[in-house]
Amino acid sequence: MIRIFKEMKFYGFVGFLLIILLYIIAQFYIKSHLPELGWTVSDWLINYEDGGFKRRGLSGSFLFFIQDYLKIQLNTQVFIIQSFFFLLIFYFLFRLLKSKKLNWDILILLCSPLCLLFIPVNIFNSGRKEIILMALVLFFVCGKQSELKKYILFIGFIIGLFIHEMFYFYLPFVMSAYILKTKNTDLKYLGSLFATSTLVILILFFCGGEINQGHSLEILKNRGIEFTRLNIFSYDFVKERKEMISAYQSYILFGLELLFMIFLSFLFVKKFLPSKTKKFKIFILVSLVWVSPLYFLGADWFRWNHIYALLLIILIITALPDNYKKTPCIEGKFNIPLLIITILFFLVFYLHIQYDSSGNSKEYMLHYFEKVFAFKF
């Protein structure tokens, strides 16, 4: 009876994840049929047709090829890709969870606003190219280890750099996933991955052109895609820097949110993985230094936080003891204080996203509160 009850709790949690997945796919379907598309779609459509070789251009050129030969509209292709990779993420996550001795602490952290719940809360900026990186890492750490999976991780990560150079800033997570899964610090493999990926980044930096060479919007319009002013091709680095400075309060809060999530994750490691505390402490310090340039180069701090936090939780789950039983295993009592903390964290993050996406407008937030709570300040 106890075993059956534990299984029911686990599959109840999986059911909750399934609801999130269905909501995500439904939202992306709706977005793919809107007359004007923005960040989520434009990111996938950067291409080599406008100006030749450039950063992030591989995905768009591939989608153009599919459109030319299979006559599938670009927005439909992007929806299919987004749905496919989210299905992979949730499938491999389910397999990983089922293979580990879990507790409610890690399941609650997994649903924090910087991890899985980030996606439905900030659907406007979800479904971008980082889903490839997340699916790749989850694929590698779940199931049995094999030489084929090592090759797929290596080749997949290198190809991913041509899709988005941002992958490079999360290289420590990929290398740590390899070490945790194989239980081996293979210097030849890791050194080759580091050297090859660094070489690719140097090629992209010195030889790759700008994302928009002047004709991207015209080319996409001829292919049936029109954008609002909010898209990757209209991104202005100088203007973005000025807006970041003027909205410094919001960015300070983004930084504090990441540090708080890291703090909660580290407390979990100290409590449930004491033998790995020192290693995770070193990893967190190294990975923060490694990822830090990304926070200067791009304004999407909420996205960088999401990728960092979710990959960190995936590594922690990977480090948990294996469950050799055929049935899922959740040990310990439900952590109500942690749930309350996570709910409060969720509310703060949700309101922060509302504030940030409105252009950091205090007036908008007051109007939002009035509308939600039906009273005036």
Side-chain angles (χ1 to χ4, degrees), residues 189-217:
Y189 180 94
L190 297 174
S192 299
L193 181 62
F194 174 80
T196 307
S197 58
T198 301
L199 178 61
V200 169
I201 288 297
L202 291 174
I203 292 172
L204 290 170
F205 181 78
F206 289 107
C207 303
E210 292 298 320
I211 288 171
N212 185 0
Q213 296 288 337
H215 302 284
S216 289
L217 293 175

Side-chain angles (χ1 to χ4, degrees), residues 188-257:
K188 182 179 179 181
Y189 180 94
L190 297 174
S192 299
L193 181 62
F194 174 80
T196 307
S197 58
T198 301
L199 178 61
V200 169
I201 288 297
L202 291 174
I203 292 172
L204 290 170
F205 181 78
F206 289 107
C207 303
E210 292 298 320
I211 288 171
N212 185 0
Q213 296 288 337
H215 302 284
S216 289
L217 293 175
E218 180 184 349
I219 290 170
L220 289 169
K221 186 176 182 179
N222 292 334
R223 287 180 172 271
I225 297 291
E226 290 191 58
F227 293 113
T228 62
R229 64 182 180 83
L230 300 174
N231 65 81
I232 194 67
F233 300 105
S234 61
Y235 179 76
D236 187 330
F237 180 82
V238 176
K239 181 182 177 182
E240 198 71 54
R241 298 283 76 68
K242 293 179 180 178
E243 291 180 354
M244 286 177 66
I245 293 172
S246 63
Y248 71 92
Q249 294 168 315
S250 183
Y251 283 90
I252 289 174
L253 185 53
F254 279 134
L256 292 175
E257 287 165 353

Side-chain angles (χ1 to χ4, degrees), residues 15 37 90 125 142 226 232 239 245 265 268 311 322:
L37 304 169
F90 279 77
N125 278 295
C142 82
E226 290 191 58
I232 194 67
K239 181 182 177 182
I245 293 172
S265 302
F268 176 89
L311 289 178
D322 292 328

Side-chain angles (χ1 to χ4, degrees), residues 59 70 94 129 204 223 259-260 308:
S59 59
L70 299 181
F94 166 74
K129 294 176 178 179
L204 290 170
R223 287 180 172 271
L259 293 176
F260 182 66
Y308 188 100

